[in-house]
Amino acid sequence: MKNKVIIVEDDTLLNRAVCKAFTNAGYEAAGALSMQEAQGLLEDGAALMIVDIGLPDGDGFSLCRQVQNSREIPVIFLTARDDEEDMIRAFDCGADDYLVKPFPMAVLLKHAQAVLRRTGEENTKLFCYEDLSIDYERKQVMSRGKTINLTNKEYDLLVLLARNRKKVITKQMILEQIWDVQGAFVEENTVNVTLFRLRKKIEPDPANPVYIKNVFGLGYTFGE
């Protein structure tokens, strides 16, 4: 399960909030309120497990050790405890990261992505940036937890920009790679119209784009 994240947290509201954050980012999130529930979810495997130290039927340290003994799943601890002894104990039992409550959801997602990159479990078939995700295998785009319906050209254009994040993509490059034949027989305004429609579908505010930005006199770029 390359895209599955298990959240083991006995605070119901926090558990739901973390699950929602990962779901909105394009992951498959499953919540467990106890060690027993977590063990049931682990039977199908997972890409990452996020664990609270204090659980009603045990502790996160024990669960982490069980996971490390039976399968290779990276673990991030979420806890209100910030003393050095607990941090050392967490890493000694196999944790990959440690995050102290309270924390912004965006920070947790960045920690998760960093751990998945380090452990080689990050799904290369999934792209996530802010509230936007692209599932390359399913050709599915989601924004703020909702599926976005794109035309083939809109999807191809989004993928081209996302896969070249932080690079400037010129209009000629877009014509050549999306419309082929060096853009022959394609009207000059085609790229502008497709970009306009794409922004209207994915941007929270198309007039102030977060994802697809103009680079004056050069072309376009994705994100920061």
Side-chain angles (χ1 to χ4, degrees), residues 97 109-119 122:
D97 203 350
L109 287 169
K110 290 297 183 184
H111 277 253
Q113 289 167 5
V115 167
L116 289 170
R117 280 196 301 271
R118 288 200 304 268
T119 58
E122 187 172 36

Side-chain angles (χ1 to χ4, degrees), residues 1-7 22 27 42 45-50 73-76 96 108 111-113 115-116 119 121:
M1 300 295 290
K2 293 290 186 180
N3 195 33
K4 181 179 177 182
V5 178
I6 297 174
I7 295 92
F22 276 93
Y27 296 88
L42 283 165
L48 175 68
M49 190 168 69
I50 296 172
I73 298 175
V75 176
I76 296 176
D96 294 87
L108 172 58
H111 277 253
Q113 289 167 5
V115 167
L116 289 170
T119 58
E121 291 293 334

Side-chain angles (χ1 to χ4, degrees), residues 82-128:
D82 61 353
D83 57 276
E84 183 178 331
E85 183 179 346
D86 277 339
M87 290 184 184
I88 292 173
R89 189 178 175 190
F91 288 116
D92 283 345
C93 72
D96 294 87
D97 203 350
Y98 190 107
L99 200 59
V100 178
K101 304 172 187 176
F103 51 83
M105 289 299 172
V107 171
L108 172 58
L109 287 169
K110 290 297 183 184
H111 277 253
Q113 289 167 5
V115 167
L116 289 170
R117 280 196 301 271
R118 288 200 304 268
T119 58
E121 291 293 334
E122 187 172 36
N123 191 346
T124 57
K125 295 178 181 177
L126 183 72
F127 172 86
C128 298

Side-chain angles (χ1 to χ4, degrees), residues 4-181:
K4 181 179 177 182
V5 178
I6 297 174
I7 295 92
V8 190
E9 165 62 63
D10 63 341
D11 183 323
T12 304
L13 292 178
L14 179 57
N15 194 311
R16 289 176 182 171
V18 175
C19 283
K20 184 178 180 182
F22 276 93
T23 299
N24 288 350
Y27 296 88
E28 178 189 342
L33 301 175
S34 65
M35 282 184 63
Q36 185 176 1
E37 287 184 21
Q39 288 161 350
L41 292 174
L42 283 165
E43 290 179 2
D44 295 327
L48 175 68
M49 190 168 69
I50 296 172
V51 186
D52 185 18
I53 287 180
L55 296 170
D57 55 350
D59 60 55
F61 301 127
S62 300
L63 181 59
C64 183
R65 279 192 294 269
Q66 289 176 20
V67 169
Q68 301 307 320
N69 289 335
S70 59
R71 48 179 73 82
E72 293 183 2
I73 298 175
V75 176
I76 296 176
F77 273 102
L78 291 185
T79 178
R81 307 180 187 182
D82 61 353
D83 57 276
E84 183 178 331
E85 183 179 346
D86 277 339
M87 290 184 184
I88 292 173
R89 189 178 175 190
F91 288 116
D92 283 345
C93 72
D96 294 87
D97 203 350
Y98 190 107
L99 200 59
V100 178
K101 304 172 187 176
F103 51 83
M105 289 299 172
V107 171
L108 172 58
L109 287 169
K110 290 297 183 184
H111 277 253
Q113 289 167 5
V115 167
L116 289 170
R117 280 196 301 271
R118 288 200 304 268
T119 58
E121 291 293 334
E122 187 172 36
N123 191 346
T124 57
K125 295 178 181 177
L126 183 72
F127 172 86
C128 298
Y129 179 79
E130 299 290 346
D131 290 328
L132 184 78
S133 67
I134 307 170
D135 186 326
Y136 296 129
E137 189 171 38
R138 298 179 182 177
K139 288 193 172 183
Q140 182 183 61
V141 177
M142 296 185 70
S143 180
R144 298 179 295 283
K146 296 180 180 179
T147 300
I148 307 298
N149 295 317
L150 302 178
T151 66
N152 288 336
K153 294 301 184 188
E154 289 166 355
Y155 176 80
D156 290 344
L157 178 54
L158 177 59
V159 169
L160 173 64
L161 291 165
R163 283 181 165 162
N164 290 278
R165 185 185 164 198
K166 296 185 179 180
K167 297 179 182 178
V168 176
I169 304 298
T170 66
K171 186 178 292 185
Q172 186 60 35
M173 290 167 66
I174 292 173
L175 286 170
E176 290 176 2
Q177 295 191 45
I178 304 299
W179 278 271
D180 299 324
V181 200

